[in-house]
Amino acid sequence: MTHTTTATARRRAARAGLTATAALLLAAAAPAPAEARSGGDYLYLLVTKGDSRSSDTRGTLLLCDPPQGHGRATEACAQLDAAGGDIGALPAADVYCPMVYAPVTVQARGQWGGRPVEYRQTFPNGCVMEARTGAVFALES
């Protein structure tokens, strides 16, 4: 039984390491475009479905001058502009979400208005995530 626990712990650690490595590689895969480096508003966005062992991670670079990066970039940039780049200050949508636990973790890193942005939050499901963050993390078009 000790071998099972040890093997299980090793598999969990390996999966967690692979997820973290994938997220880091995704964030560093391409250098930031010139607009991002020269002071424009940009965010590296990551969305991970499932628990911390999940490998279902999607990511993109959202640029806002002009809006580009994912299917709803124009809407996401407008929402971020209205909130001064503060993802936590985005107004929550008035919707009813199912009480189903299917965790979604979102992360954003970049700059807005010349200030650094760091955001990480886990939501109970995708409906709650979209209700609280609008189009910002809507990476699937």
Side-chain angles (χ1 to χ4, degrees):
M1 192 145 203
T2 303
H3 289 286
T4 303
T5 304
T6 304
T8 301
R10 285 186 194 145
R11 281 194 300 273
R12 285 183 183 157
R15 277 190 231 140
L18 287 174
T19 300
T21 301
L24 289 172
L25 287 174
L26 181 61
E35 307 90 47
R37 290 190 303 261
S38 67
D41 296 331
Y42 70 95
L43 294 175
Y44 292 102
L45 304 171
L46 292 173
V47 176
T48 303
K49 293 181 179 179
D51 60 16
S52 62
R53 296 168 290 188
S54 175
S55 62
D56 187 2
T57 299
R58 299 178 191 273
T60 193
L61 173 64
L62 174 65
L63 298 169
C64 288
D65 191 24
Q68 54 188 334
H70 64 71
R72 295 171 63 187
T74 301
E75 186 181 357
C77 291
Q79 291 171 353
L80 285 164
D81 264 340
D86 183 359
I87 298 169
L90 292 170
D94 188 19
V95 297
Y96 290 101
C97 290
M99 292 180 62
V100 174
Y101 185 69
V104 179
T105 300
V106 298
Q107 298 175 64
R109 181 179 53 94
Q111 75 174 23
W112 198 271
R115 293 184 315 268
V117 173
E118 292 281 336
Y119 179 84
R120 179 183 168 93
Q121 182 70 42
T122 299
F123 297 97
N125 59 51
C127 178
V128 174
M129 176 205 66
E130 189 162 345
R132 301 289 298 281
T133 64
V136 176
F137 291 101
L139 302 184
E140 299 173 56
S141 35

mmCIF file of all heavy atoms in Angstrom, residues 10-64:
data_model
loop_
_atom_site.group_PDB
_atom_site.id
_atom_site.type_symbol
_atom_site.label_atom_id
_atom_site.label_comp_id
_atom_site.label_asym_id
_atom_site.label_seq_id
_atom_site.Cartn_x
_atom_site.Cartn_y
_atom_site.Cartn_z
ATOM 1 N N ARG A 10 3.614 10.591 -6.766
ATOM 2 C CA ARG A 10 4.538 10.920 -7.853
ATOM 3 C C ARG A 10 3.782 11.323 -9.116
ATOM 4 O O ARG A 10 4.157 12.279 -9.795
ATOM 5 C CB ARG A 10 5.454 9.737 -8.159
ATOM 6 C CG ARG A 10 6.536 9.539 -7.145
ATOM 7 C CD ARG A 10 7.479 8.453 -7.586
ATOM 8 N NE ARG A 10 8.297 8.050 -6.476
ATOM 9 C CZ ARG A 10 8.708 6.817 -6.253
ATOM 10 N NH1 ARG A 10 8.372 5.851 -7.083
ATOM 11 N NH2 ARG A 10 9.448 6.527 -5.217
ATOM 12 N N ARG A 11 2.704 10.577 -9.432
ATOM 13 C CA ARG A 11 1.920 10.916 -10.623
ATOM 14 C C ARG A 11 1.292 12.292 -10.475
ATOM 15 O O ARG A 11 1.297 13.083 -11.408
ATOM 16 C CB ARG A 11 0.834 9.862 -10.868
ATOM 17 C CG ARG A 11 1.358 8.605 -11.530
ATOM 18 C CD ARG A 11 0.234 7.749 -12.060
ATOM 19 N NE ARG A 11 -0.703 7.307 -11.058
ATOM 20 C CZ ARG A 11 -0.583 6.212 -10.318
ATOM 21 N NH1 ARG A 11 0.458 5.429 -10.475
ATOM 22 N NH2 ARG A 11 -1.496 5.897 -9.428
ATOM 23 N N ARG A 12 0.770 12.588 -9.279
ATOM 24 C CA ARG A 12 0.165 13.899 -9.051
ATOM 25 C C ARG A 12 1.199 15.015 -9.181
ATOM 26 O O ARG A 12 0.953 16.037 -9.792
ATOM 27 C CB ARG A 12 -0.481 13.959 -7.673
ATOM 28 C CG ARG A 12 -1.782 13.215 -7.604
ATOM 29 C CD ARG A 12 -2.418 13.351 -6.252
ATOM 30 N NE ARG A 12 -3.626 12.558 -6.190
ATOM 31 C CZ ARG A 12 -4.172 12.120 -5.091
ATOM 32 N NH1 ARG A 12 -3.621 12.409 -3.927
ATOM 33 N NH2 ARG A 12 -5.269 11.413 -5.128
ATOM 34 N N ALA A 13 2.360 14.797 -8.613
ATOM 35 C CA ALA A 13 3.424 15.799 -8.697
ATOM 36 C C ALA A 13 3.868 15.986 -10.147
ATOM 37 O O ALA A 13 4.098 17.109 -10.592
ATOM 38 C CB ALA A 13 4.606 15.396 -7.824
ATOM 39 N N ALA A 14 3.961 14.899 -10.890
ATOM 40 C CA ALA A 14 4.369 14.994 -12.289
ATOM 41 C C ALA A 14 3.336 15.760 -13.103
ATOM 42 O O ALA A 14 3.675 16.625 -13.909
ATOM 43 C CB ALA A 14 4.573 13.596 -12.882
ATOM 44 N N ARG A 15 2.033 15.466 -12.879
ATOM 45 C CA ARG A 15 0.982 16.185 -13.598
ATOM 46 C C ARG A 15 0.993 17.664 -13.254
ATOM 47 O O ARG A 15 0.849 18.509 -14.123
ATOM 48 C CB ARG A 15 -0.389 15.589 -13.278
ATOM 49 C CG ARG A 15 -0.691 14.391 -14.116
ATOM 50 C CD ARG A 15 -2.133 13.988 -13.929
ATOM 51 N NE ARG A 15 -2.131 12.584 -13.611
ATOM 52 C CZ ARG A 15 -2.891 11.974 -12.739
ATOM 53 N NH1 ARG A 15 -3.771 12.644 -12.062
ATOM 54 N NH2 ARG A 15 -2.801 10.687 -12.536
ATOM 55 N N ALA A 16 1.151 17.972 -11.973
ATOM 56 C CA ALA A 16 1.187 19.378 -11.555
ATOM 57 C C ALA A 16 2.388 20.079 -12.194
ATOM 58 O O ALA A 16 2.283 21.218 -12.653
ATOM 59 C CB ALA A 16 1.250 19.487 -10.034
ATOM 60 N N GLY A 17 3.513 19.393 -12.237
ATOM 61 C CA GLY A 17 4.707 19.967 -12.861
ATOM 62 C C GLY A 17 4.518 20.188 -14.352
ATOM 63 O O GLY A 17 4.922 21.209 -14.896
ATOM 64 N N LEU A 18 3.884 19.227 -15.024
ATOM 65 C CA LEU A 18 3.630 19.385 -16.456
ATOM 66 C C LEU A 18 2.675 20.542 -16.722
ATOM 67 O O LEU A 18 2.867 21.313 -17.667
ATOM 68 C CB LEU A 18 3.051 18.088 -17.034
ATOM 69 C CG LEU A 18 4.040 16.942 -17.169
ATOM 70 C CD1 LEU A 18 3.333 15.662 -17.603
ATOM 71 C CD2 LEU A 18 5.135 17.294 -18.155
ATOM 72 N N THR A 19 1.647 20.694 -15.896
ATOM 73 C CA THR A 19 0.704 21.802 -16.071
ATOM 74 C C THR A 19 1.417 23.131 -15.885
ATOM 75 O O THR A 19 1.240 24.057 -16.673
ATOM 76 C CB THR A 19 -0.470 21.679 -15.079
ATOM 77 O OG1 THR A 19 -1.139 20.439 -15.326
ATOM 78 C CG2 THR A 19 -1.446 22.826 -15.233
ATOM 79 N N ALA A 20 2.220 23.235 -14.842
ATOM 80 C CA ALA A 20 2.949 24.479 -14.595
ATOM 81 C C ALA A 20 3.929 24.760 -15.725
ATOM 82 O O ALA A 20 4.054 25.896 -16.192
ATOM 83 C CB ALA A 20 3.690 24.397 -13.258
ATOM 84 N N THR A 21 4.607 23.726 -16.198
ATOM 85 C CA THR A 21 5.546 23.899 -17.301
ATOM 86 C C THR A 21 4.820 24.347 -18.562
ATOM 87 O O THR A 21 5.282 25.251 -19.261
ATOM 88 C CB THR A 21 6.306 22.582 -17.573
ATOM 89 O OG1 THR A 21 6.999 22.213 -16.382
ATOM 90 C CG2 THR A 21 7.283 22.734 -18.720
ATOM 91 N N ALA A 22 3.680 23.733 -18.855
ATOM 92 C CA ALA A 22 2.904 24.125 -20.039
ATOM 93 C C ALA A 22 2.462 25.574 -19.947
ATOM 94 O O ALA A 22 2.536 26.319 -20.925
ATOM 95 C CB ALA A 22 1.689 23.210 -20.195
ATOM 96 N N ALA A 23 2.020 25.995 -18.780
ATOM 97 C CA ALA A 23 1.588 27.389 -18.609
ATOM 98 C C ALA A 23 2.757 28.353 -18.812
ATOM 99 O O ALA A 23 2.617 29.386 -19.470
ATOM 100 C CB ALA A 23 0.964 27.592 -17.229
ATOM 101 N N LEU A 24 3.912 28.008 -18.260
ATOM 102 C CA LEU A 24 5.082 28.865 -18.431
ATOM 103 C C LEU A 24 5.538 28.912 -19.884
ATOM 104 O O LEU A 24 5.884 29.979 -20.400
ATOM 105 C CB LEU A 24 6.230 28.390 -17.543
ATOM 106 C CG LEU A 24 6.046 28.627 -16.046
ATOM 107 C CD1 LEU A 24 7.162 27.932 -15.263
ATOM 108 C CD2 LEU A 24 6.021 30.106 -15.745
ATOM 109 N N LEU A 25 5.524 27.766 -20.545
ATOM 110 C CA LEU A 25 5.921 27.742 -21.952
ATOM 111 C C LEU A 25 4.954 28.538 -22.804
ATOM 112 O O LEU A 25 5.357 29.254 -23.714
ATOM 113 C CB LEU A 25 6.009 26.302 -22.460
ATOM 114 C CG LEU A 25 7.198 25.490 -21.952
ATOM 115 C CD1 LEU A 25 7.082 24.038 -22.401
ATOM 116 C CD2 LEU A 25 8.503 26.099 -22.425
ATOM 117 N N LEU A 26 3.672 28.434 -22.500
ATOM 118 C CA LEU A 26 2.669 29.185 -23.248
ATOM 119 C C LEU A 26 2.884 30.680 -23.073
ATOM 120 O O LEU A 26 2.838 31.440 -24.029
ATOM 121 C CB LEU A 26 1.259 28.797 -22.781
ATOM 122 C CG LEU A 26 0.107 29.480 -23.493
ATOM 123 C CD1 LEU A 26 0.137 29.153 -24.981
ATOM 124 C CD2 LEU A 26 -1.203 29.035 -22.882
ATOM 125 N N ALA A 27 3.146 31.099 -21.848
ATOM 126 C CA ALA A 27 3.342 32.529 -21.583
ATOM 127 C C ALA A 27 4.629 33.047 -22.223
ATOM 128 O O ALA A 27 4.709 34.197 -22.629
ATOM 129 C CB ALA A 27 3.371 32.787 -20.085
ATOM 130 N N ALA A 28 5.633 32.177 -22.341
ATOM 131 C CA ALA A 28 6.920 32.624 -22.869
ATOM 132 C C ALA A 28 7.158 32.172 -24.303
ATOM 133 O O ALA A 28 8.203 32.442 -24.867
ATOM 134 C CB ALA A 28 8.043 32.086 -21.984
ATOM 135 N N ALA A 29 6.177 31.508 -24.905
ATOM 136 C CA ALA A 29 6.377 30.925 -26.231
ATOM 137 C C ALA A 29 6.723 31.960 -27.288
ATOM 138 O O ALA A 29 7.567 31.732 -28.133
ATOM 139 C CB ALA A 29 5.133 30.153 -26.651
ATOM 140 N N ALA A 30 6.062 33.091 -27.234
ATOM 141 C CA ALA A 30 6.339 34.129 -28.231
ATOM 142 C C ALA A 30 6.668 35.420 -27.510
ATOM 143 O O ALA A 30 6.010 35.768 -26.539
ATOM 144 C CB ALA A 30 5.109 34.323 -29.112
ATOM 145 N N PRO A 31 7.668 36.117 -27.970
ATOM 146 C CA PRO A 31 7.966 37.401 -27.341
ATOM 147 C C PRO A 31 6.802 38.359 -27.551
ATOM 148 O O PRO A 31 6.075 38.257 -28.531
ATOM 149 C CB PRO A 31 9.224 37.880 -28.053
ATOM 150 C CG PRO A 31 9.299 37.092 -29.311
ATOM 151 C CD PRO A 31 8.556 35.816 -29.071
ATOM 152 N N ALA A 32 6.628 39.266 -26.617
ATOM 153 C CA ALA A 32 5.555 40.245 -26.729
ATOM 154 C C ALA A 32 5.773 41.106 -27.963
ATOM 155 O O ALA A 32 6.896 41.484 -28.272
ATOM 156 C CB ALA A 32 5.521 41.117 -25.482
ATOM 157 N N PRO A 33 4.682 41.398 -28.690
ATOM 158 C CA PRO A 33 4.815 42.266 -29.854
ATOM 159 C C PRO A 33 5.354 43.637 -29.461
ATOM 160 O O PRO A 33 5.306 44.037 -28.306
ATOM 161 C CB PRO A 33 3.379 42.377 -30.370
ATOM 162 C CG PRO A 33 2.669 41.192 -29.827
ATOM 163 C CD PRO A 33 3.348 40.888 -28.524
ATOM 164 N N ALA A 34 5.817 44.382 -30.454
ATOM 165 C CA ALA A 34 6.410 45.694 -30.193
ATOM 166 C C ALA A 34 5.446 46.606 -29.466
ATOM 167 O O ALA A 34 5.842 47.369 -28.589
ATOM 168 C CB ALA A 34 6.854 46.326 -31.503
ATOM 169 N N GLU A 35 4.113 46.537 -29.809
ATOM 170 C CA GLU A 35 3.147 47.402 -29.136
ATOM 171 C C GLU A 35 3.127 47.122 -27.633
ATOM 172 O O GLU A 35 3.013 48.013 -26.824
ATOM 173 C CB GLU A 35 1.724 47.202 -29.672
ATOM 174 C CG GLU A 35 1.550 47.308 -31.150
ATOM 175 C CD GLU A 35 1.718 45.977 -31.857
ATOM 176 O OE1 GLU A 35 1.148 44.954 -31.434
ATOM 177 O OE2 GLU A 35 2.437 45.958 -32.852
ATOM 178 N N ALA A 36 3.197 45.835 -27.259
ATOM 179 C CA ALA A 36 3.155 45.471 -25.848
ATOM 180 C C ALA A 36 4.410 45.952 -25.132
ATOM 181 O O ALA A 36 4.345 46.483 -24.035
ATOM 182 C CB ALA A 36 3.003 43.966 -25.698
ATOM 183 N N ARG A 37 5.558 45.781 -25.762
ATOM 184 C CA ARG A 37 6.808 46.184 -25.111
ATOM 185 C C ARG A 37 6.937 47.702 -25.015
ATOM 186 O O ARG A 37 7.587 48.213 -24.143
ATOM 187 C CB ARG A 37 7.993 45.602 -25.866
ATOM 188 C CG ARG A 37 8.103 44.105 -25.721
ATOM 189 C CD ARG A 37 9.419 43.620 -26.274
ATOM 190 N NE ARG A 37 9.607 43.982 -27.656
ATOM 191 C CZ ARG A 37 9.395 43.173 -28.683
ATOM 192 N NH1 ARG A 37 8.962 41.964 -28.471
ATOM 193 N NH2 ARG A 37 9.613 43.579 -29.915
ATOM 194 N N SER A 38 6.304 48.426 -25.934
ATOM 195 C CA SER A 38 6.498 49.868 -25.944
ATOM 196 C C SER A 38 5.482 50.618 -25.085
ATOM 197 O O SER A 38 5.431 51.832 -25.139
ATOM 198 C CB SER A 38 6.440 50.386 -27.383
ATOM 199 O OG SER A 38 5.133 50.217 -27.888
ATOM 200 N N GLY A 39 4.662 49.931 -24.320
ATOM 201 C CA GLY A 39 3.784 50.634 -23.391
ATOM 202 C C GLY A 39 2.307 50.502 -23.674
ATOM 203 O O GLY A 39 1.499 51.074 -22.975
ATOM 204 N N GLY A 40 1.889 49.755 -24.698
ATOM 205 C CA GLY A 40 0.468 49.552 -24.959
ATOM 206 C C GLY A 40 -0.148 48.644 -23.901
ATOM 207 O O GLY A 40 0.545 47.973 -23.148
ATOM 208 N N ASP A 41 -1.467 48.634 -23.845
ATOM 209 C CA ASP A 41 -2.168 47.767 -22.900
ATOM 210 C C ASP A 41 -2.197 46.339 -23.443
ATOM 211 O O ASP A 41 -2.597 46.106 -24.580
ATOM 212 C CB ASP A 41 -3.602 48.265 -22.698
ATOM 213 C CG ASP A 41 -3.636 49.649 -22.069
ATOM 214 O OD1 ASP A 41 -2.695 49.979 -21.328
ATOM 215 O OD2 ASP A 41 -4.608 50.382 -22.307
ATOM 216 N N TYR A 42 -1.758 45.380 -22.626
ATOM 217 C CA TYR A 42 -1.761 43.981 -23.038
ATOM 218 C C TYR A 42 -1.870 43.088 -21.810
ATOM 219 O O TYR A 42 -1.484 43.464 -20.710
ATOM 220 C CB TYR A 42 -0.486 43.630 -23.816
ATOM 221 C CG TYR A 42 0.759 43.613 -22.960
ATOM 222 C CD1 TYR A 42 1.226 42.429 -22.399
ATOM 223 C CD2 TYR A 42 1.471 44.784 -22.698
ATOM 224 C CE1 TYR A 42 2.364 42.416 -21.609
ATOM 225 C CE2 TYR A 42 2.601 44.770 -21.915
ATOM 226 C CZ TYR A 42 3.048 43.594 -21.370
ATOM 227 O OH TYR A 42 4.160 43.572 -20.587
ATOM 228 N N LEU A 43 -2.417 41.895 -22.008
ATOM 229 C CA LEU A 43 -2.504 40.890 -20.960
ATOM 230 C C LEU A 43 -2.248 39.513 -21.563
ATOM 231 O O LEU A 43 -2.790 39.185 -22.617
ATOM 232 C CB LEU A 43 -3.900 40.881 -20.320
ATOM 233 C CG LEU A 43 -4.323 42.119 -19.538
ATOM 234 C CD1 LEU A 43 -5.782 41.967 -19.099
ATOM 235 C CD2 LEU A 43 -3.420 42.349 -18.352
ATOM 236 N N TYR A 44 -1.412 38.719 -20.898
ATOM 237 C CA TYR A 44 -1.296 37.299 -21.201
ATOM 238 C C TYR A 44 -2.406 36.626 -20.405
ATOM 239 O O TYR A 44 -2.467 36.777 -19.180
ATOM 240 C CB TYR A 44 0.055 36.739 -20.749
ATOM 241 C CG TYR A 44 1.227 37.271 -21.535
ATOM 242 C CD1 TYR A 44 2.045 38.254 -21.009
ATOM 243 C CD2 TYR A 44 1.501 36.771 -22.802
ATOM 244 C CE1 TYR A 44 3.123 38.744 -21.729
ATOM 245 C CE2 TYR A 44 2.582 37.253 -23.528
ATOM 246 C CZ TYR A 44 3.384 38.240 -22.985
ATOM 247 O OH TYR A 44 4.447 38.719 -23.697
ATOM 248 N N LEU A 45 -3.283 35.903 -21.074
ATOM 249 C CA LEU A 45 -4.426 35.288 -20.415
ATOM 250 C C LEU A 45 -4.314 33.773 -20.462
ATOM 251 O O LEU A 45 -3.990 33.205 -21.504
ATOM 252 C CB LEU A 45 -5.722 35.708 -21.126
ATOM 253 C CG LEU A 45 -5.972 37.202 -21.245
ATOM 254 C CD1 LEU A 45 -7.170 37.466 -22.152
ATOM 255 C CD2 LEU A 45 -6.186 37.815 -19.872
ATOM 256 N N LEU A 46 -4.591 33.119 -19.339
ATOM 257 C CA LEU A 46 -4.618 31.660 -19.249
ATOM 258 C C LEU A 46 -5.919 31.234 -18.592
ATOM 259 O O LEU A 46 -6.358 31.838 -17.610
ATOM 260 C CB LEU A 46 -3.456 31.129 -18.412
ATOM 261 C CG LEU A 46 -2.058 31.273 -18.973
ATOM 262 C CD1 LEU A 46 -1.027 30.840 -17.937
ATOM 263 C CD2 LEU A 46 -1.912 30.423 -20.215
ATOM 264 N N VAL A 47 -6.535 30.171 -19.126
ATOM 265 C CA VAL A 47 -7.742 29.589 -18.551
ATOM 266 C C VAL A 47 -7.487 28.095 -18.408
ATOM 267 O O VAL A 47 -7.169 27.421 -19.389
ATOM 268 C CB VAL A 47 -8.979 29.826 -19.446
ATOM 269 C CG1 VAL A 47 -10.207 29.133 -18.874
ATOM 270 C CG2 VAL A 47 -9.235 31.313 -19.624
ATOM 271 N N THR A 48 -7.620 27.580 -17.187
ATOM 272 C CA THR A 48 -7.424 26.157 -16.921
ATOM 273 C C THR A 48 -8.722 25.580 -16.394
ATOM 274 O O THR A 48 -9.236 26.034 -15.370
ATOM 275 C CB THR A 48 -6.304 25.918 -15.892
ATOM 276 O OG1 THR A 48 -5.106 26.516 -16.381
ATOM 277 C CG2 THR A 48 -6.084 24.438 -15.646
ATOM 278 N N LYS A 49 -9.259 24.592 -17.106
ATOM 279 C CA LYS A 49 -10.483 23.921 -16.667
ATOM 280 C C LYS A 49 -10.089 22.705 -15.846
ATOM 281 O O LYS A 49 -9.160 21.988 -16.192
ATOM 282 C CB LYS A 49 -11.323 23.490 -17.861
ATOM 283 C CG LYS A 49 -11.882 24.663 -18.637
ATOM 284 C CD LYS A 49 -12.721 24.192 -19.785
ATOM 285 C CE LYS A 49 -13.280 25.384 -20.531
ATOM 286 N NZ LYS A 49 -14.085 24.975 -21.689
ATOM 287 N N GLY A 50 -10.797 22.482 -14.758
ATOM 288 C CA GLY A 50 -10.517 21.346 -13.895
ATOM 289 C C GLY A 50 -9.700 21.760 -12.693
ATOM 290 O O GLY A 50 -9.454 22.944 -12.462
ATOM 291 N N ASP A 51 -9.271 20.769 -11.930
ATOM 292 C CA ASP A 51 -8.494 21.063 -10.728
ATOM 293 C C ASP A 51 -7.037 21.326 -11.087
ATOM 294 O O ASP A 51 -6.674 21.397 -12.254
ATOM 295 C CB ASP A 51 -8.630 19.938 -9.699
ATOM 296 C CG ASP A 51 -8.130 18.603 -10.230
ATOM 297 O OD1 ASP A 51 -7.425 18.593 -11.245
ATOM 298 O OD2 ASP A 51 -8.453 17.580 -9.611
ATOM 299 N N SER A 52 -6.212 21.443 -10.074
ATOM 300 C CA SER A 52 -4.805 21.806 -10.295
ATOM 301 C C SER A 52 -4.042 20.768 -11.104
ATOM 302 O O SER A 52 -2.980 21.056 -11.629
ATOM 303 C CB SER A 52 -4.105 22.031 -8.955
ATOM 304 O OG SER A 52 -4.118 20.841 -8.208
ATOM 305 N N ARG A 53 -4.570 19.554 -11.223
ATOM 306 C CA ARG A 53 -3.889 18.503 -11.983
ATOM 307 C C ARG A 53 -4.295 18.502 -13.453
ATOM 308 O O ARG A 53 -3.800 17.721 -14.232
ATOM 309 C CB ARG A 53 -4.189 17.142 -11.377
ATOM 310 C CG ARG A 53 -3.647 17.000 -9.967
ATOM 311 C CD ARG A 53 -4.218 15.786 -9.336
ATOM 312 N NE ARG A 53 -5.634 16.080 -9.101
ATOM 313 C CZ ARG A 53 -6.452 15.325 -8.425
ATOM 314 N NH1 ARG A 53 -6.038 14.209 -7.923
ATOM 315 N NH2 ARG A 53 -7.697 15.660 -8.241
ATOM 316 N N SER A 54 -5.199 19.373 -13.829
ATOM 317 C CA SER A 54 -5.720 19.386 -15.196
ATOM 318 C C SER A 54 -4.659 19.840 -16.187
ATOM 319 O O SER A 54 -3.807 20.662 -15.893
ATOM 320 C CB SER A 54 -6.922 20.324 -15.282
ATOM 321 O OG SER A 54 -7.357 20.436 -16.617
ATOM 322 N N SER A 55 -4.766 19.297 -17.385
ATOM 323 C CA SER A 55 -3.876 19.745 -18.451
ATOM 324 C C SER A 55 -4.660 20.512 -19.513
ATOM 325 O O SER A 55 -4.143 20.801 -20.579
ATOM 326 C CB SER A 55 -3.160 18.543 -19.081
ATOM 327 O OG SER A 55 -4.119 17.683 -19.662
ATOM 328 N N ASP A 56 -5.925 20.841 -19.204
ATOM 329 C CA ASP A 56 -6.769 21.576 -20.144
ATOM 330 C C ASP A 56 -6.569 23.076 -19.935
ATOM 331 O O ASP A 56 -7.351 23.741 -19.272
ATOM 332 C CB ASP A 56 -8.235 21.189 -19.949
ATOM 333 C CG ASP A 56 -9.140 21.803 -21.012
ATOM 334 O OD1 ASP A 56 -8.624 22.495 -21.910
ATOM 335 O OD2 ASP A 56 -10.363 21.606 -20.933
ATOM 336 N N THR A 57 -5.476 23.602 -20.477
ATOM 337 C CA THR A 57 -5.127 25.015 -20.332
ATOM 338 C C THR A 57 -5.086 25.666 -21.703
ATOM 339 O O THR A 57 -4.491 25.130 -22.628
ATOM 340 C CB THR A 57 -3.764 25.185 -19.639
ATOM 341 O OG1 THR A 57 -3.830 24.606 -18.346
ATOM 342 C CG2 THR A 57 -3.384 26.645 -19.516
ATOM 343 N N ARG A 58 -5.733 26.813 -21.806
ATOM 344 C CA ARG A 58 -5.720 27.605 -23.034
ATOM 345 C C ARG A 58 -5.172 28.981 -22.695
ATOM 346 O O ARG A 58 -5.363 29.465 -21.593
ATOM 347 C CB ARG A 58 -7.119 27.750 -23.614
ATOM 348 C CG ARG A 58 -7.757 26.433 -23.988
ATOM 349 C CD ARG A 58 -9.163 26.629 -24.524
ATOM 350 N NE ARG A 58 -9.854 25.377 -24.638
ATOM 351 C CZ ARG A 58 -9.803 24.578 -25.702
ATOM 352 N NH1 ARG A 58 -9.070 24.931 -26.733
ATOM 353 N NH2 ARG A 58 -10.468 23.450 -25.730
ATOM 354 N N GLY A 59 -4.522 29.595 -23.651
ATOM 355 C CA GLY A 59 -3.973 30.918 -23.391
ATOM 356 C C GLY A 59 -3.848 31.747 -24.648
ATOM 357 O O GLY A 59 -3.881 31.218 -25.759
ATOM 358 N N THR A 60 -3.719 33.048 -24.444
ATOM 359 C CA THR A 60 -3.533 33.971 -25.550
ATOM 360 C C THR A 60 -2.966 35.281 -25.034
ATOM 361 O O THR A 60 -2.952 35.536 -23.837
ATOM 362 C CB THR A 60 -4.857 34.218 -26.308
ATOM 363 O OG1 THR A 60 -4.579 34.868 -27.542
ATOM 364 C CG2 THR A 60 -5.827 35.058 -25.498
ATOM 365 N N LEU A 61 -2.528 36.098 -25.950
ATOM 366 C CA LEU A 61 -2.077 37.439 -25.640
ATOM 367 C C LEU A 61 -3.146 38.397 -26.132
ATOM 368 O O LEU A 61 -3.458 38.428 -27.325
ATOM 369 C CB LEU A 61 -0.738 37.741 -26.337
ATOM 370 C CG LEU A 61 -0.225 39.174 -26.241
ATOM 371 C CD1 LEU A 61 0.086 39.539 -24.795
ATOM 372 C CD2 LEU A 61 1.007 39.352 -27.120
ATOM 373 N N LEU A 62 -3.736 39.168 -25.223
ATOM 374 C CA LEU A 62 -4.750 40.157 -25.576
ATOM 375 C C LEU A 62 -4.076 41.514 -25.721
ATOM 376 O O LEU A 62 -3.482 42.019 -24.770
ATOM 377 C CB LEU A 62 -5.831 40.230 -24.488
ATOM 378 C CG LEU A 62 -6.875 41.333 -24.653
ATOM 379 C CD1 LEU A 62 -7.728 41.113 -25.900
ATOM 380 C CD2 LEU A 62 -7.751 41.424 -23.412
ATOM 381 N N LEU A 63 -4.136 42.062 -26.918
ATOM 382 C CA LEU A 63 -3.628 43.404 -27.184
ATOM 383 C C LEU A 63 -4.826 44.318 -27.384
ATOM 384 O O LEU A 63 -5.828 43.908 -27.960
ATOM 385 C CB LEU A 63 -2.758 43.414 -28.445
ATOM 386 C CG LEU A 63 -1.506 42.556 -28.403
ATOM 387 C CD1 LEU A 63 -0.890 42.443 -29.779
ATOM 388 C CD2 LEU A 63 -0.518 43.149 -27.418
ATOM 389 N N CYS A 64 -4.716 45.561 -26.942
ATOM 390 C CA CYS A 64 -5.869 46.449 -27.027
ATOM 391 C C CYS A 64 -5.626 47.723 -27.820
ATOM 392 O O CYS A 64 -6.402 48.670 -27.712
ATOM 393 C CB CYS A 64 -6.373 46.778 -25.618
ATOM 394 S SG CYS A 64 -7.182 45.362 -24.843
#
